[in-house]
Amino acid sequence: MIEEIHIRDLGIITDARLPLEPGFSVLTGETGAGKTMVVTALGMLLGARSDASSVRNGAKNALAEAVIRLPRGHRALALAEEAGGTTEEIDEQSSELLLARTVNASGRSRAHVGGCSAPIGTLAQIGQSLVAVHGQSDQLRLKSPAEQRQSLDLYAGEELASLLEKYRENYERYRAAAAELKEVRENSRARALEAQSLQGALEEIAAVNPRAGEEDELKAEMMKLMNVEALRIASATALTALSGSEYSSGEEANVMGLLDAARSALQGQASADEELAALEARVNELMILTTDIASDLSSYAASLDVEGPERLAQVQTRRAQLATLMRKYGADIAEVLEWAEESRARLDTLVDDPQRQETLETELVQLRKVLGEQAEELTNLRRAAAQKLADAVSEELTALAMPNASLVVEVAEAEKFSVHGRDTVTFMLAPHRTAVPRPLGKGASGGELSRVMLALEVVLAEVDPVPTFIFDEVDSGVGGKAAIEIGRRLAMLARHVQVLVVTHLPQVAAFADQHILVLKNDDASLSKVQVLTEEERVVELARMLSGHDQSESAREHARELLEAGRQVSQDQE
């Protein structure tokens, strides 16, 4: 819901803050006080075109801001975050979002979402998911066939939603099969060339038959082979130091000989002291370890004799083969193998299969049949829901002083399938019984159209709610009992959503949960906005009833209206 609207230098409003509560809020005031500026401000926040004439005379720019509280996960919050804006967490269930729009005297405007500058289009996307404005000159909600179809589908309920989901699955399969068949028919030569290229590449990779990690292994082996002489000298020197060699005399010192001498010296006296015996045992362990190392060094040196220049040439040749593959197909062997796997899968779809085209054609025939059956079911469900919706809205119109008017919801079959079925949905109004129904917005006055939209919103409120509804003089051209019925239905709508209404009728204002008054100075140069107390509401309703807020009879009538409004609201609950 909208928690607050801030308006500065817009029209004749210098600076006003409009706090809003849940439920039904009404906005009243004398003609020319600036009530419409509230609707204008909301239009700015919905991405409407900027108008330099709306900037107050003498001001540099006009500002419209709205603080909006939304449940976590709402689409508007996601759009704001995508635009770089931030939101403030209020509690575990909700967050707060700030929207702003400025228009300067030259007509240029800027938008801000969550404190971050954003395109006007982003502001419009967010605003349209939050607020529906029904004004005298522009009906922003349910104006397009797509929005009308979506509302009808929601009204139709779960049966249609379930069928539509199944239809869309088949429709996506149909589109994929049709695209593949088109590719098979139109791109056979290109596919053949691509297949030939992939086949050659895969054969080249298969001939080398690389394996993951092989390049690192070969690199390490090559380094060993290139340094084999140095490795042989190092291992022989170490072996001689440990155990001597066949060319050394027995008197030359080596680790084994020295350890043997140390063990013999300790062994002779080990029986005299346990500590010395333990040391002798550790020296013996060193001899065993040294013997193992000497044996391994001997084996290592022998292996160096086997790995000669021939092996080095083999390794270099193999690395060159792998390098060629990596240059063509990937940064390393792992990427080469991944590319080969993907290419084999692609090749399977490119290789000409005489049966593939026939299979796709058969599949498309079957899918067209299934889609046709499901589309016909969707049409029947929509037509049933359309009649039910039209009857409900027409009944509402009777109570809204349009007894001879009726809503017609036309569901017509289109030539082609779409993701939504094969239907076009059009909401039309017949102003009287013999009139030819015409699409909404054509042939109806602003007041009539506002009442039609109110009737629609009341009927759709439980299945297709927008968080906030704005109605600008929905009561135009009516009075008496019809005005009371308009107030009653606005109160009914406010049970599901937040409703803000600009009105001149006290019968409508009496139903509101919150009454906001727009006042202008004596010289009509500036306006201010205030929320009325209970007694102040009586005074304002008296003014609206008689034109004189001091009339006691008018005040008494105002109290009766307020009491009647409260009673109706209690009866609805």
Side-chain angles (χ1 to χ4, degrees):
M1 58 167 257
I2 300 176
E3 292 187 321
E4 182 180 81
I5 301 172
H6 179 208
I7 304 171
R8 190 192 69 221
D9 293 330
L10 185 66
I12 63 172
I13 298 178
T14 306
D15 198 324
R17 292 188 180 273
L18 187 66
L20 295 179
E21 296 179 356
F24 181 8
S25 297
V26 69
L27 192 70
T28 66
E30 294 182 2
T31 301
K35 300 185 299 299
T36 304
M37 287 300 102
V38 176
V39 180
T40 301
L42 285 165
M44 289 170 59
L45 293 172
L46 288 172
R49 294 183 63 180
S50 58
D51 184 1
S53 65
S54 63
V55 180
R56 188 175 63 84
N57 288 335
K60 292 182 178 180
N61 55 52
L63 167 70
E65 285 183 324
V67 179
I68 302 169
R69 185 169 182 156
L70 294 166
R72 296 282 187 85
H74 193 281
R75 179 171 177 266
L77 296 176
L79 289 171
E81 290 174 359
E82 289 175 7
T86 58
T87 58
E88 182 179 348
E89 295 182 0
I90 304 302
D91 51 42
E92 294 182 357
Q93 286 79 35
S94 59
S95 297
E96 210 169 61
L97 174 64
L98 176 65
L99 301 179
R101 176 91 176 272
T102 57
V103 179
N104 63 29
S106 66
R108 294 176 60 112
S109 70
R110 289 186 177 181
H112 288 81
V113 175
C116 180
S117 179
I120 303 299
T122 300
L123 190 65
Q125 278 185 301
I126 294 174
Q128 288 174 10
S129 70
L130 299 175
V131 181
V133 178
H134 297 304
Q136 287 289 297
S137 59
D138 195 7
Q139 307 296 327
L140 297 181
R141 178 167 152 83
L142 303 180
K143 64 179 180 179
S144 72
E147 290 165 334
Q148 293 173 4
R149 188 207 64 253
Q150 182 180 2
S151 294
L152 178 62
D153 286 356
L154 288 170
Y155 186 76
E158 184 59 35
E159 184 180 0
L160 186 140
S162 177
L163 177 60
L164 185 58
E165 183 178 359
K166 296 175 182 176
Y167 168 88
R168 284 174 174 166
E169 290 176 359
N170 288 323
Y171 180 74
E172 290 304 321
R173 288 171 51 199
Y174 177 85
R175 290 183 61 187
E180 186 177 351
L181 179 60
K182 181 180 179 181
E183 187 179 9
V184 167
R185 287 173 173 172
E186 297 180 359
N187 302 320
S188 58
R189 179 174 176 77
R191 287 162 57 87
L193 290 173
E194 184 183 355
Q196 183 179 5
S197 175
L198 287 178
Q199 184 64 45
L202 290 172
E203 289 175 357
E204 181 183 6
I205 294 173
V208 177
N209 192 24
R211 56 182 177 81
E214 184 180 2
E215 168 61 14
D216 291 336
E217 295 173 6
L218 290 172
K219 183 178 179 180
E221 185 178 359
M222 190 180 75
M223 288 295 295
K224 178 180 177 180
L225 291 170
M226 292 176 66
N227 294 278
V228 66
E229 189 59 34
L231 294 173
R232 184 181 292 112
I233 293 171
S235 59
T237 301
L239 181 59
T240 300
L242 289 176
S243 59
S245 71
E246 58 180 317
Y247 303 107
S248 61
S249 63
E251 296 178 356
E252 292 182 14
N254 58 70
V255 174
M256 290 292 294
L258 294 172
L259 287 173
D260 186 52
R263 183 183 62 174
S264 299
L266 295 176
Q267 201 172 36
Q269 303 300 323
S271 59
D273 184 18
E274 292 183 359
E275 186 175 356
L276 192 64
L279 291 170
E280 185 267 335
R282 292 169 64 187
V283 171
N284 192 57
E285 291 175 1
L286 284 174
M287 287 189 67
I288 295 172
L289 180 60
T290 302
T291 302
D292 289 341
I293 295 174
S295 176
D296 290 344
L297 279 171
S298 178
S299 299
Y300 177 77
S303 70
L304 293 176
D305 292 332
V306 174
E307 298 174 350
E310 296 82 4
R311 177 56 185 167
L312 177 59
Q314 293 173 0
V315 170
Q316 291 174 330
T317 300
R318 181 65 175 174
R319 289 195 70 201
Q321 293 173 336
L322 297 180
T324 300
L325 295 183
M326 290 187 289
R327 187 169 59 253
K328 292 181 177 180
Y329 309 114
D332 53 34
I333 294 302
E335 287 192 13
V336 171
L337 294 173
E338 182 180 359
W339 183 89
E341 183 177 355
E342 293 173 354
S343 297
R344 277 191 289 272
R346 172 63 177 165
L347 185 60
D348 289 340
T349 67
L350 294 173
V351 173
D352 285 336
D353 182 357
Q355 296 182 344
R356 184 57 183 162
Q357 181 171 334
E358 183 179 346
T359 300
L360 287 170
E361 290 172 347
T362 302
E363 183 181 5
L364 285 173
V365 169
Q366 294 173 344
L367 285 172
R368 271 195 293 266
K369 180 180 178 182
V370 172
L371 287 174
E373 294 170 352
Q374 291 179 329
E376 185 176 356
E377 289 184 59
L378 287 172
T379 300
N380 293 336
L381 289 174
R382 282 182 175 133
R383 284 177 174 167
Q387 187 60 54
K388 183 179 175 183
L389 176 62
D391 291 344
V393 173
S394 298
E395 185 178 345
E396 291 290 324
L397 290 176
T398 299
L400 293 174
M402 297 176 68
N404 298 316
S406 61
L407 181 76
V408 176
V409 181
E410 181 183 72
V411 180
E413 289 191 31
E415 293 183 3
K416 296 181 179 180
F417 294 115
S418 76
V419 70
H420 308 292
R422 200 165 53 187
D423 301 323
T424 58
V425 176
T426 308
F427 288 5
M428 299 186 291
L429 177 66
H432 51 85
R433 300 187 190 282
T434 60
V436 177
R438 300 185 65 188
L440 291 183
K442 296 182 179 180
S445 67
E448 288 176 331
L449 189 53
S450 289
R451 276 176 276 162
V452 172
M453 300 310 292
L454 172 58
L456 267 168
E457 301 297 7
V458 169
V459 174
L460 294 172
E462 294 188 27
V463 296
D464 186 22
V466 170
T468 300
F469 285 87
I470 313 294
F471 289 93
D472 184 13
E473 298 188 12
V474 65
D475 47 24
S476 176
V478 299
K481 184 178 178 181
I484 293 176
E485 289 302 324
I486 289 176
R488 185 199 304 271
R489 275 150 181 79
L490 287 167
M492 289 170 57
L493 182 61
R495 293 167 60 188
H496 303 284
V497 295
Q498 184 184 40
V499 177
L500 176 62
V501 177
V502 179
T503 183
H504 289 286
L505 294 183
Q507 296 94 330
V508 172
F511 282 88
D513 302 308
Q514 182 187 38
H515 194 141
I516 301 164
L517 176 63
V518 180
L519 288 167
K520 63 180 177 180
N521 289 352
D522 293 337
D523 60 359
S525 60
L526 300 174
S527 291
K528 65 178 182 178
V529 177
Q530 69 179 75
V531 179
L532 301 183
T533 64
E534 187 68 15
E535 188 56 34
E536 288 171 338
R537 287 189 72 181
V538 172
V539 174
E540 172 62 8
L541 289 180
R543 180 197 66 78
M544 297 170 71
L545 283 164
S546 65
H548 300 284
D549 55 17
Q550 300 301 320
S551 168
E552 189 55 41
S553 61
R555 290 193 179 193
E556 187 60 33
H557 190 186
R559 291 188 182 95
E560 291 177 2
L561 281 177
L562 287 171
E563 182 58 34
R566 278 192 291 268
Q567 188 61 49
V568 169
S569 297
Q570 291 173 3
D571 293 343
Q572 289 176 356
E573 293 176 0

